Amino acid sequence: MERNLPVDFVNQMQTLLGETETQRLCTAITATLPPVSLRLHPIKGEAIAMATSPVPWASLGRYLDERPTFTADPRFHAGCYYVQEAASMFIEQAFQAMDIVPTAMLDLCAAPGGKSTHWRSLIPDDCLLVANEPIPLRAAILAENLAKWGHPATIVTQAYPDAFGQHTHLFDIIAADVPCSGEGMFRKDEGAVDEWSLANVSLCAERQQKIIADVWPSLREGGFLVYSTCTFNTEECENNVRFICEELGADYIPLPTNEDWGTVATDFGIHFYPHRAKGEGFFLALLRKHNARDAATAKPRKSKSGRLKRIFPQQVNSWLTSPDRFAFFAPDEHLLAAIPEIHFNTLERLSRSVRIVRAGVLLAEAKGKKLIPQPELALSLALQPASFPKVHLSRPDALTYLSREALTLAEDVPRGYVLACYEDHPLGFLNNLGNRANNLYPAEWRIRNRNLLHT
């Protein structure tokens, strides 16, 4: 694992930390392995006992002694836990320091979904989470992970930050884990080392300032910004926090920490260094908007025409717990979805300026007069479990199902749509025809490594 780090990086860190601390940091990066950690789902993860010790700054975070093959665990696919780097779970401490009850939150740079699923577990059930990712492929991965997390008060969007700027004061919280030079990823990503340069650090810092300035109008006065990076340098961290405070109008909110955690607090943020804390490199700052300097920053965009089509399907009422809480709509002419009624107007408002990748719960696809239940429904916390018969799969059969292979069901399994479960955790649907069962698991989600079927 030993490898050389860029000389400019080492010099930079010596200026920040001193020679002794820098040597410890470089040794941690080049000669140690990152810890393995995951975060449990607050409802689905109750019975998971695979973890060995708690992540002290995250109530549902756990460290593992070794890294298992997560793809071979059906509970991973059921959304019982998310494999997440421990330091990034520190967002929980930022949320605990907020003195508001949020109704809408934006996770601006959200893929692949670790922090978004964490935020979804932290904010109130009736608070809307908008999770955004501008890159299409990454937005699809984000949508998959949030679908498996299962909370219906969620919208996944694909847009650049300025698309949100016209939605003045829409959000109570904005989280921005901004694209950065990736110094905190050096230990597990050699590509980050190869791509690093002082010029790229400056380029990233400028881009980060633009990202925050573009989205700033959508944060209400008194609302909170959680700014984070996976890097160490002052230019992308403290200097940008100072920029937000001085140029955009915010107050920096110090966060309490525990000396046993190994974190380092500065005047404008909290640092995680891999030689001190049990996690990767990470920086976080909590800010509160105090002055709406929005007029010069907001950039009006041409709104899309049309409205989301609301529908009132009686057929699917029995599929949801508390169906009266939901607004039903058609994302396109063949699909049926539902979102909590209190968030439908926000969904419609956003749909005029940003691309909606998924919203609420995708319930069914219409084929003629037939409604085919969709995988998101199976994984959703809004599912009425008694609405479909269950078939309980062994681990080998569950992996076969998740690979989208054919299954033969027992003769006593009812005909029609059945819920495929592992340890009582829904995985998706099967259409049992008697002589065979059609596997309705999404092709794009399937396990592709057939060797895992025999582990």
Side-chain angles (χ1 to χ4, degrees), residues 185-452:
M185 306 297 289
F186 282 2
R187 180 159 58 173
K188 63 180 182 181
D189 184 358
E190 291 190 23
V193 178
D194 297 336
E195 294 171 6
W196 187 91
S197 69
L198 289 175
N200 191 41
V201 167
S202 296
L203 183 65
C204 287
E206 292 177 10
R207 181 168 59 228
Q208 291 152 2
Q209 290 183 10
K210 185 178 188 306
I211 286 171
I212 302 303
D214 283 348
V215 79
W216 192 247
S218 67
L219 181 64
R220 72 165 175 86
E221 289 189 60
F224 289 94
L225 171 71
V226 181
Y227 177 88
S228 61
T229 73
C230 56
T231 200
F232 306 126
N233 65 79
T234 303
E235 196 170 353
E236 296 178 76
C237 298
E238 284 86 352
N239 287 0
N240 273 352
V241 175
R242 188 179 292 108
F243 163 83
I244 297 167
C245 292
E246 295 176 355
E247 300 299 324
L248 300 181
D251 296 316
Y252 171 69
I253 309 297
L255 296 176
T257 59
N258 187 313
E259 63 179 16
D260 294 336
W261 298 351
T263 53
V264 175
T266 69
D267 290 341
F268 284 97
I270 305 292
H271 279 281
F272 282 75
Y273 296 105
H275 67 291
R276 295 177 61 96
K278 195 174 179 182
E280 292 292 69
F282 188 63
F283 170 84
L284 182 142
L286 177 65
L287 302 102
R288 188 167 205 169
K289 183 174 183 176
H290 67 67
N291 186 14
R293 304 179 193 175
D294 297 334
T297 333
K299 299 178 181 179
R301 295 164 62 101
K302 184 177 180 180
S303 296
K304 298 177 183 178
S305 60
R307 297 170 61 89
L308 286 176
K309 182 181 178 183
R310 290 192 68 154
I311 50 182
F312 303 92
Q314 296 300 313
Q315 294 168 270
V316 299
N317 275 1
S318 63
W319 293 3
L320 299 176
T321 56
S322 306
D324 293 343
R325 293 178 49 241
F326 290 90
F328 296 89
F329 64 98
D332 67 31
E333 59 180 332
H334 299 295
L335 296 175
L336 168 64
I339 195 168
E341 176 72 49
I342 59 174
H343 300 308
F344 182 79
N345 288 342
T346 301
L347 169 61
E348 187 176 52
R349 177 180 172 185
L350 287 171
S351 71
R352 293 173 177 269
S353 61
V354 303
R355 177 174 179 261
I356 305 296
V357 179
R358 63 170 291 270
V361 186
L362 188 60
L363 300 174
E365 180 184 6
K367 286 194 174 180
K369 295 183 179 180
K370 183 168 63 174
L371 289 178
I372 303 172
Q374 295 299 287
E376 287 189 23
L377 173 64
L379 295 158
S380 175
L381 301 177
L383 172 70
Q384 169 53 261
S387 56
F388 296 93
K390 291 183 178 180
V391 56
H392 294 278
L393 303 179
S394 65
R395 182 173 174 273
D397 281 347
L399 292 175
T400 298
Y401 172 78
L402 293 166
S403 300
R404 214 166 183 268
E405 302 285 343
L407 282 174
T408 301
L409 303 181
E411 292 184 1
D412 60 349
V413 176
R415 303 288 178 93
Y417 298 114
V418 297
L419 199 59
C421 298
Y422 175 75
E423 294 184 353
D424 211 35
H425 296 294
L427 300 172
F429 288 104
L430 290 157
N431 186 12
N432 185 25
L433 304 177
N435 59 333
R436 72 178 193 278
N438 289 344
N439 191 331
L440 302 183
Y441 199 69
E444 62 272 21
W445 293 4
R446 73 188 187 279
I447 296 174
R448 290 172 170 79
N449 185 353
R450 293 181 59 86
N451 293 329
L452 295 178

Side-chain angles (χ1 to χ4, degrees), residues 4-23 25-26 29 183 186 196-198 201 232-234 273:
N4 294 325
L5 297 174
V7 173
D8 285 339
F9 168 75
V10 175
N11 292 337
Q12 168 191 272
M13 298 314 301
Q14 286 179 340
T15 300
L16 291 175
L17 301 178
E19 188 171 345
T20 300
E21 282 287 292
T22 298
Q23 180 58 50
L25 171 64
C26 293
I29 291 172
E183 295 164 356
F186 282 2
W196 187 91
S197 69
L198 289 175
V201 167
F232 306 126
N233 65 79
T234 303
Y273 296 105

Side-chain angles (χ1 to χ4, degrees), residues 48-65:
I48 302 296
M50 63 190 291
T52 58
S53 60
V55 175
W57 48 84
S59 57
L60 295 174
R62 302 290 185 269
Y63 291 109
L64 305 186
D65 287 335

